[in-house]
Each structure stands twice: as C-alpha cells, then as structure tokens.
Amino acid sequence: MSAKKAQRILKKDKPAWARTIVKRLREEYPDFECALTHRNAFELTVATILSAQCTDEMVNKVTPALFRKFPTPQALAKARTPTVEKLIHPTGFFRQKTKSLKGMAQKVSEDFGGEIPQTMAELLTLHGVARKTANVVLGVAYGRAEGVVVDTHVKRLSGRLGLTKQTDPKKIEQDLMKLVPGEDWIDWSHLQIWHGRKVCSARKPACDRCVLNDRCPSSTV
Ligand code: SF4
C-alpha cells in the first residue's frame, strides 16, 4: 500500500488504526513489561524520575545500590545529598534528580504516610513528578489508567504512525487518549516503547521487518 493511500485511510479511521496497532504489537511482543526494575510503587517512582534523559538500562544499573541504602521514602528523605548524588551520578542531571528524589520522598513521608499516592492529582504534588511519571506509576504499580505515558519513544512513534501532528507531550497524550481505547492506555505505552527500541528506532527505523509497515504512513517499504 502506498504511503498516500495509508494517509487517506488514517484520516478516515484513526481509532481503528490505533486498535490495529495494539493488536499487532501485542502479538509481536507477548511478554512485554515495564523495562524499569522495581519491587514496589516507591521504587518505580524513583526509577522513573531517574529515567529522564537516561536509558532504562543505566537506571537499572544504579538503582539496586540506591534501594539497598535507602529502601523507603523515609530513608531517602533523610539521606545525605552528596551520598545520593554519588549513587545516581551515572544517570545524568544528578544534582537536579537528587533534589527531586529527596523532595518527593519528604512529601510522601510527611503527607502520604510513606505510601506513594494513587491519584494523578496527588502524584502531581510530588517534587519531580510530572504527568509522564505519574502515568507510569498509576499504570504499572496500581493498574490505573488516568492517561497515556508519552516518553521519547511514544512521541516519535505517534508522529510516524500518523496518530498526531503535535510535538508537545501533553497534546500528544490528549490525541492518543481520543484514539486509543481506555483499556489499552497502559499497554499502549509499553508496546510503543518496545517497538521503538527493537524496530522503529530514532535513527534508523527497520521498516522492512515492521509488522505495521503495510499501513504506516512513514514506512519506507
Ligand atoms: S513502518 Fe517504519 S516508520 Fe512505520 S512504525 Fe514501522 S518501523 Fe516505524
């Protein structure tokens, strides 16, 4: 199918295209899961804050030592700043991230009884937590879909797949929430992230082995 024809179909029925994407990527990646290693909502919140401008692989390398030393929000809230900075240094932006981690841990300890909150509104009151992190925590830790995670992979693929013309993550999320069925919001982001890593990479998308290449408007085959 030509890219032009694919574009026409997309305009006509983007929600059906979104459902097709979910179906095909679920078949392609039956064992997909959150790439950030964690054992609970606190660890996931920390890992997601650290993942800004950093690969999940690097985050997974630094978090075991961090969680061993500071296993709870209370422990992290009281941590010495230089100690945290040293532990998370490889993830980049370590000073800002340390402030975010300690600020988040303090708020969780003082205002939420040491438990990561379970609503978008409450999560957004935590230091260093914006919609992306809140959506990851709600979806993965609590199984609650209040929005769609838009990270760098979701952003890139949403444009390539013709689902949005927006570049601002909040606007992309709004477009995706209109197109993707609510029950698929949590899986959607995981599937897009996996597909972005394995096939539709930023530099060189492997359209020849992509299960979406017959309808993707950006396909090169
Ligand atoms: S066809 Fe190419 S551009 Fe489209 S999703 Fe697949 S790899 Fe990405």
Side-chain angles (χ1 to χ4, degrees), residues 17 25 156-157 160-161 195-196 199-201 204-221:
W17 175 220
L25 294 186
R156 181 175 73 255
L157 267 70
R160 285 184 180 168
L161 290 165
H195 196 54
V199 178
C200 191
S201 66
K204 205 167 176 230
C207 301
D208 55 328
R209 56 183 180 83
C210 176
V211 292
L212 306 172
N213 65 12
D214 60 323
R215 291 188 63 187
C216 173
S218 306
S219 174
T220 55
V221 294

Side-chain angles (χ1 to χ4, degrees), residues 174-192:
Q174 291 303 314
D175 280 352
L176 292 175
M177 286 166 75
K178 284 180 208 139
L179 297 173
V180 180
E183 66 265 26
D184 294 325
W185 285 358
I186 296 171
D187 288 1
W188 176 270
S189 305
H190 293 304
L191 291 166
Q192 296 281 300

Side-chain angles (χ1 to χ4, degrees), residues 2 7 40 44 47 54 56 73 78 85 94 108 114 122 149 153 160 162 164 202 209 215 219:
S2 71
Q7 283 282 21
N40 52 50
L44 181 60
C54 179
D56 292 345
K78 289 183 201 147
E85 285 182 349
F94 62 96
V108 169
E122 288 172 325
V149 175
H153 296 289
R160 285 184 180 168
T164 184
R209 56 183 180 83
R215 291 188 63 187
S219 174

Side-chain angles (χ1 to χ4, degrees), residues 95-115:
R95 290 204 177 91
Q96 187 54 46
K97 286 180 182 176
T98 297
K99 269 188 204 151
S100 295
L101 291 181
K102 282 179 56 70
M104 175 276 292
Q106 271 158 12
K107 179 97 177 156
V108 169
S109 304
E110 288 164 14
D111 295 355
F112 297 103
E115 298 289 331

